[in-house]
Amino acid sequence: MNSDSQSYDVAIIGAGINGAGIARDAALRGLKVIVLDKNDMCSGTSAVSSRLIHGGLRYLEYGELPLVYESLRERRCLRQIAGHLVQALRISIPIFSGARRGRALIRLGMIAYDILSFGKRLPRHDMLDRNGIKEEVPGLRDEGLLGAARYYDAQVTFAERLVMENLLAAQSAGADIKTYCTVCEIRVLKGCISSLVYSDRQGEQTAISVRSVVNAAGPWVDEVLKAAPHQVDRFVGGTKGSHIVVGQFEGAPKDAFYVEAAADGRPVFIIPWNEQFLIGTTDIRYNDSLDRIRASREEVDYLLNETNRVFPNARLQIADIHFAYAGVRPLPHRDKGPESAITRRHIIKTNRNIAKGLVSIIGGKLTTYRNLAEQTVDKLARILRRKSPTCRTADTLLPGAWGVDRARELLLASKLLSDKGVDRLLSIYGGRASNIIDLANRDATLQKTLNDDGVHLAAEVLFAIREEFATTLTDIVFRRMMIGLDSDQGRSLYTAVAVLAATEINWSADTQETEMQNLVEYADSLRVT
Ligand SMILES: Cc1cc2nc3c(=O)[nH]c(=O)nc-3n(C[C@H](O)[C@H](O)[C@H](O)COP(=O)(O)OP(=O)(O)OC[C@H]3O[C@@H](n4cnc5c(N)ncnc54)[C@H](O)[C@@H]3O)c2cc1C
C-alpha cells in the first residue's frame, strides 16, 4: 500500500455535480480538498438527467414550495455564473379535455410559479387558446385540445461541462482531482475520520490522511458507507429514469413540451436539445445493480407512445432513436408510496454514529447543487472548527463564463473553424475556447479540423488530455468534446480522435485498439435495438 504524504481537510467521494460543486466551494473557502471518483468525472447520474435547470413545476403539486423557491433562485444564479452553459428554455403545456390536470389547475400552478420566480428575470407565463397553440405548433394533436400554458425555465445542454467547470474552479483554488480511483476503505480513529484508502485502475492502493469525508456518491452513497467500520441503515432508495434521443420529426415543436402521459398521468418532457429531441422520463423504483443501467424496452415504448400521441405525425419508431440513457435518482429511501411523491429535497446527513467528520449527501438536483454545496461546506467548517470565509460561489463566474466575447473574436480571426464550429466551441468551452486557439497557434498540426466540415478542432483532443484530465477515449468523446451525444454518437470522428490521443498519451498500438473497442462498446450500449 502506498501512502500519500499530503494531508487533506476534506476528501470528497464522487465527481458528479454535487461532489464537484462542494469541491469548488470548499477550495474557494481555503480548505485543502481532494476529489476521488471511481470512474471519470460526471459518469454517474449527473450525465443522465433531463438537463433542465428548473424550479420543478411538478413539485408544487406536492406542496414543496421551499424547494421550488430555492430552485428558481438557483436557476437565476446559474444563468449568471454559467451563462455560456445554461440557457433560457420556453416550455409549453398542452391542455387536453379529460386530463388529470385541467386548465384551472395548470393556470394556478403557473401563477404560483411566477410568484415564486419574482425578480428572477425570465418572462412570465401566458395562456393560449386552442387556435393560438395550433397556429404555433400545427403538429400538435387536435383531438380534445383546449389550449396551452407557456412558461420559461432553463436548460444545461451539457451537464458534463457544468461538472467539469466546477472541478476546474476547484482545481485552480488548490484542490486535487483524481478520477478512476475507487474509495474502498474509510478509516476511523477514536471516533473521528482519520484516513481513507483508494484503489486506482491498476488495483494499486493508496492511503491518504483526511480530517473529514463528504460522501457525494449519488445512488452509490450506501455502497460507499460499507467501506466504513460501522454499518448503518439504508439512506438512498432511488428511482430509475430513462430518456430517448431522436432527430427532427414531422410536426415537431420549436419549444419544449411538458405533457401529461395518457398511460399514468406522469409528466413527460419533449425537449429540443443538441439539435435533436430529448424525451423523458420514467420514474420506477429501482433496487438492482447501479452500474451500467439501461433503458428497458417498456420504458422506450412508453416514451415513444406518449410522444406519438401528442404529435401524431411524428410516428416515431425504435429505428428513429439515436440513443437512450438511464440513471437512478439518488432519493431518500422510502419503502412505500408513489415514486413521484418522494421528496426531491436534498438531505446533508452527518454520519456521527459512524465517525465525526463523515457527511453523506442524499438527493439533490442539478439545479440546486450550488446551494447544497454551500450548506455542506458551512457544515464542514463547523465540524472542522474552522472559521470559514463567506461562500463566494453565487457571484463568482465559472471558468468558461469569463471572456466569451473575446474568445469569439479570436476564433473568428483565426479562421480555423466554420461559423457552426465557432458556435459549437463556445457552447462547450465558453471563454476557455481561447485556450484551445492558443494551443492550436503553438502547433500547426493542431489547427486542422477532424474532418472537412470545419467544426471540430484537433487541438480539442489535446486540450481534453492536458487541461481537463481526460485519460480514455470515452472520456474525450462523451464528456469533454461532447461529440458522443451527436446524432451519430460522433462515430465518424473516433479514428481521428484516437490517433491524436494515442500520440499525446504515448499509447501502444494494443492500447489504442483496446481504447477504441471500449469506446465503441460504450457507444453501442446506448443504442436501442
Ligand atoms: C432520470 C433523471 C432525470 C433528472 N433530471 C433532472 C433535471 O432535469 N434537473 C435537475 O436539476 N436534476 C435532475 N435530476 C437529478 C440529478 O441529475 C441528480 O440528483 C444529480 O445529478 C446527482 O448528482 P450527484 O453528484 O449526487 O451523483 P452522481 O452524478 O451519480 O455522482 C456520483 C459519483 O460518485 C462516484 N462514486 C460512486 N462510488 C464511488 C466510490 N466508491 N469511490 C469513488 N467514487 C465513487 C460515481 O462514479 C459518480 O461519478 C435527474 C435525475 C435522473 C436520474
Side-chain angles (χ1 to χ4, degrees), residues 424 448-451 456-458 460-462 464-465 470 472-478 480-481 483-484 489-505 507 512 515-516 519:
R424 174 189 159 273
K448 61 182 190 321
T449 51
L450 296 182
N451 56 16
H456 311 90
L457 204 55
E460 280 179 71
V461 178
L462 273 71
I465 297 163
T472 73
L473 271 187
T474 312
D475 298 349
I476 299 170
V477 166
F478 277 88
R480 305 299 186 280
M481 295 178 68
I483 50 183
Q489 300 184 286
R491 285 173 197 257
S492 63
L493 304 174
Y494 290 179
T495 305
V497 174
V499 169
L500 286 158
T503 313
E504 172 69 12
I505 307 182
W507 281 334
Q512 185 177 335
E515 282 290 324
M516 188 63 125
L519 171 61

Side-chain angles (χ1 to χ4, degrees), residues 13-20 36-54 59 181-184 216-221 223-224 239-243 281-282 326-330 361 363-368:
I13 306 175
I17 191 66
N18 287 325
L36 299 143
D37 199 292
K38 68 174 181 171
N39 245 301
D40 188 23
M41 67 97 218
C42 200
S43 54
T45 325
S46 304
V48 292
S49 79
S50 305
R51 301 168 185 267
L52 294 174
I53 299 299
H54 64 150
Y59 310 143
C181 289
T182 307
V183 172
C184 46
W220 292 270
V221 155
E223 258 182 54
V224 163
T239 68
K240 182 185 179 198
S242 296
H243 291 84
T281 170
T282 53
V328 170
R329 299 174 184 85
I361 306 299
K365 309 193 313 152
L366 274 180
T367 310
T368 48

Side-chain angles (χ1 to χ4, degrees), residues 244-249 270 273 275-279 304 307 316-318 320-323 487:
I244 55 172
V245 176
V246 301
Q248 276 295 333
F249 53 85
I270 301 161
W273 168 78
E275 297 180 2
Q276 304 162 84
F277 281 87
L278 178 63
I279 303 172
L304 285 176
T307 310
L316 291 169
Q317 300 176 2
I318 294 282
D320 298 311
I321 299 176
H322 297 159
F323 56 92
S487 55

Side-chain angles (χ1 to χ4, degrees), residues 40 53 59 71 132 136 176 180 227 284 287 301 317 343 350 357-358 368 390 397 441 461 469 499 503:
D40 188 23
I53 299 299
Y59 310 143
S71 305
E136 297 221 0
D176 289 334
Y180 296 100
I284 303 165
N287 289 308
D301 287 343
Q317 300 176 2
T343 183
T350 315
L358 178 61
T368 48
T390 317
L397 300 186
N441 284 341
V461 178
F469 34 84
V499 169
T503 313

